[in-house]
Amino acid sequence: MFLLIITIYLVIISSNANERLPKLWNEAPSSISDYPFVKNDSTTSHLINPWLYLDRLGLYKILIITTTPLMPFCSISNASNILFGLPAQFSWQFDSNRLFSNGTQQISIDSWWASANYYLSVIPFLAAVDVGIIQQGSFQIVKQGNFCSNSDECFRQVPEAMIKWRQFFSNLSQPNYCKNDYIDDRIIDKCYLNPMWSAHVASIEHALPLIASKVSLLPSYNEQQFGLGWANIVDFLGMSRENTNLSKVNIYQDEFFPKRMLTVDDKPPHCSDLSKTVNQALELLFSIREEWFPELRILWKRATCNFESRQDAQHVIETVAISKSTAAAYYSEAILKSYLHKCDQ
Ligand SMILES: *[C@@H]1O[C@H](CO)[C@@H](O)[C@H](O)[C@H]1NC(C)=O
Ligand SMILES: *[C@@H]1O[C@H](CO)[C@@H](O)[C@H](O)[C@H]1NC(C)=O
Ligand SMILES: *[C@@H]1O[C@H](CO)[C@@H](O)[C@H](O)[C@H]1NC(C)=O
Ligand SMILES: *[C@@H]1O[C@H](CO)[C@@H](O)[C@H](O)[C@H]1NC(C)=O
Ligand SMILES: *[C@@H]1O[C@H](CO)[C@@H](O)[C@H](O)[C@H]1NC(C)=O
């Protein structure tokens, strides 16, 4: 009996751990009216400062609250929302001081990570407002440096990203979008993860050149290599259409992401304050040369060309840092299935 209670307790703890909310989630604004009100001549609006952690987190919270009812597989919980991976990543950046907040909630405009994340927070938010899924009155976004702060300006700065995010949200808002008898993983892959990843990858691709000057402000060459390597890997996650719900992303982050910025002295797999799997992931990432990525991308495109192959490709990603032979077996399976089943066009 005692053992049973312990077991149930542990099961509850572990499932809650995976659905752990981003840091300070409950304190972030839940609607535009939660942002401070500013009176400006004849107009009044709410002022959003995306260079404050809670303000930017609030953009995510509003996105998640408004899109959860539009994703039929989220009826049980917001944690199933595939946009939850974004604030989970943002929270990891905050916790590891990658936003250069140094114990405050002020995000530094010098932070490469915060700058990249701008295009994964403000951009999708503005796109969602554009297509009308967020309709909560007028707001203004505080402008800093070269970052675009309204829809027109962002459309001029990163048109492909804006178009793809708008397309994703506008599809979501169609009442008959991908209506099926029941929602299975295949539908989630095709109708939700596909357009979401397409927008996500466009944001990163078009952000990188705009923020290139900030790479050198990262505190070590190791951290630079990690950041740029990660930006490449995201493309591979997108091609395999990883689910980016809260629990899945939390599991990945706990397993593979360094909880602090890397220093000049870090020599993975020998970082004693990082876990074994984080060390293994870093060792792998550092072993891939930048110039290999184009070739790897071609191979990966084949290995992820249909739904069946993508399931194995996801296992490759989950195992490759830990066991090359297991990953190789999954990779062969993925390639096999890319021939057994028709590739998506
Ligand atoms: C007031 O509104 C104008 C026009 O919308 C804008 O350019 C200006 O930045 C605003 N000022 C403040 C303090 O919000
Ligand atoms: C998602 O979160 C919002 C705000 O906390 C809540 O009102 C809503 O019921 C949640 N949705 C689900 C499906 O749990
Ligand atoms: C998150 O996605 C994974 C993979 O598709 C799935 O197994 C899990 O049930 C999802 N979690 C939630 C809370 O929806
Ligand atoms: C904040 O943290 C960053 C990264 O560690 C560092 O480069 C910067 O000097 C710090 N700023 C202040 C004001 O402490
Ligand atoms: C989403 O909408 C666009 C048009 O805006 C359409 O071309 C596309 O096929 C839709 N996506 C899916 C998965 O149906």
Side-chain angles (χ1 to χ4, degrees):
M1 185 62 195
F2 182 64
L3 212 62
L4 182 68
I5 290 170
I6 294 272
T7 310
I8 290 171
Y9 181 71
L10 286 177
V11 166
I12 290 170
I13 292 264
S14 62
S15 65
N16 283 349
N18 293 341
E19 293 190 7
R20 180 183 72 243
L21 290 164
K23 186 66 73 66
L24 302 175
W25 184 256
N26 293 326
E27 286 163 50
S30 315
S31 72
I32 288 174
S33 60
D34 289 344
Y35 288 90
F37 203 51
V38 286
K39 219 176 159 83
N40 183 354
D41 302 333
S42 52
T43 61
T44 46
S45 62
H46 293 276
L47 195 65
I48 301 173
N49 182 357
W51 300 95
L52 294 175
Y53 176 73
L54 280 182
D55 273 27
R56 199 184 288 194
L57 192 62
L59 299 181
Y60 283 129
K61 197 165 164 186
I62 295 169
L63 266 179
I64 287 178
I65 292 172
T66 52
T67 55
T68 293
L70 305 176
M71 297 181 192
F73 48 92
C74 297
S75 55
I76 310 286
S77 154
N78 285 298
S80 304
N81 190 314
I82 59 172
L83 292 172
F84 234 130
L86 292 170
Q89 274 274 297
F90 180 55
S91 171
W92 160 74
Q93 292 168 355
F94 179 63
D95 278 338
S96 57
N97 201 32
R98 286 184 164 83
L99 306 176
F100 294 2
S101 48
N102 301 336
T104 70
Q105 291 191 13
Q106 191 89 44
I107 300 173
S108 168
I109 188 170
D110 287 339
S111 157
W112 178 85
W113 292 97
S115 301
N117 176 269
Y118 192 90
Y119 297 89
L120 291 169
S121 54
V122 173
I123 296 296
F125 180 82
L126 289 174
V129 172
D130 281 349
V131 305
I133 67 169
I134 297 172
Q135 296 177 318
Q136 304 177 355
S138 70
F139 63 87
Q140 252 179 282
I141 291 182
V142 172
K143 186 169 170 65
Q144 286 263 33
N146 292 326
F147 293 92
C148 62
S149 62
N150 62 55
S151 175
D152 289 345
E153 209 185 349
C154 292
F155 196 81
R156 267 177 268 126
Q157 193 172 61
V158 284
E160 293 85 354
M162 283 294 281
I163 288 171
K164 287 186 166 169
W165 282 110
R166 280 183 192 167
Q167 205 167 79
F168 171 62
F169 291 121
S170 119
N171 281 353
L172 275 191
S173 66
Q174 308 300 318
N176 286 320
Y177 181 60
C178 272
K179 267 285 176 304
N180 239 33
D181 290 339
Y182 82 115
I183 300 284
D184 59 7
D185 284 346
R186 203 176 278 273
I187 294 292
I188 298 180
D189 170 280
K190 172 170 165 255
C191 300
Y192 300 92
L193 291 168
N194 182 26
M196 191 278 296
W197 270 116
S198 171
H200 187 143
V201 166
S203 275
I204 293 184
E205 184 188 338
H206 296 283
L208 287 180
L210 298 173
I211 62 170
S213 63
K214 295 179 187 179
V215 172
S216 65
L217 306 178
L218 288 168
S220 69
Y221 178 69
N222 278 334
E223 180 65 16
Q224 295 174 10
Q225 217 188 343
F226 170 65
L228 294 173
W230 173 229
N232 269 310
I233 300 295
V234 168
D235 206 8
F236 288 73
L237 300 181
M239 285 194 263
S240 67
R241 301 216 192 136
E242 289 287 340
N243 194 314
T244 44
N245 65 30
L246 182 61
S247 42
K248 199 74 197 284
V249 171
N250 276 340
I251 291 170
Y252 270 124
Q253 280 185 175
D254 293 347
E255 200 169 4
F256 298 126
F257 280 64
K259 59 181 195 257
R260 59 162 173 80
M261 282 191 280
L262 301 180
T263 69
V264 63
D265 299 320
D266 281 327
K267 297 200 170 42
H270 305 294
C271 309
S272 57
D273 64 330
L274 301 178
S275 73
K276 181 155 183 250
T277 50
V278 170
N279 267 295
Q280 288 170 318
L282 290 173
E283 186 185 21
L284 174 69
L285 189 66
F286 286 0
S287 72
I288 307 173
R289 297 224 203 100
E290 174 72 31
E291 62 265 29
W292 296 350
F293 277 112
E295 180 72 22
L296 288 173
R297 214 168 254 123
I298 292 168
L299 295 173
W300 199 242
K301 192 161 192 262
R302 177 81 222 180
T304 57
C305 83
N306 58 43
F307 176 77
E308 288 77 10
S309 65
R310 284 193 286 276
Q311 309 312 301
D312 290 295
Q314 290 171 14
H315 290 311
V316 173
I317 291 175
E318 283 155 22
T319 55
V320 66
I322 295 157
S323 161
K324 303 268 187 316
S325 58
T326 311
Y330 281 125
Y331 177 73
S332 310
E333 251 332 275
I335 293 293
L336 183 66
K337 285 174 188 166
S338 80
Y339 287 100
L340 286 177
H341 304 270
K342 209 163 139 258
C343 284
D344 303 345
Q345 57 285 30

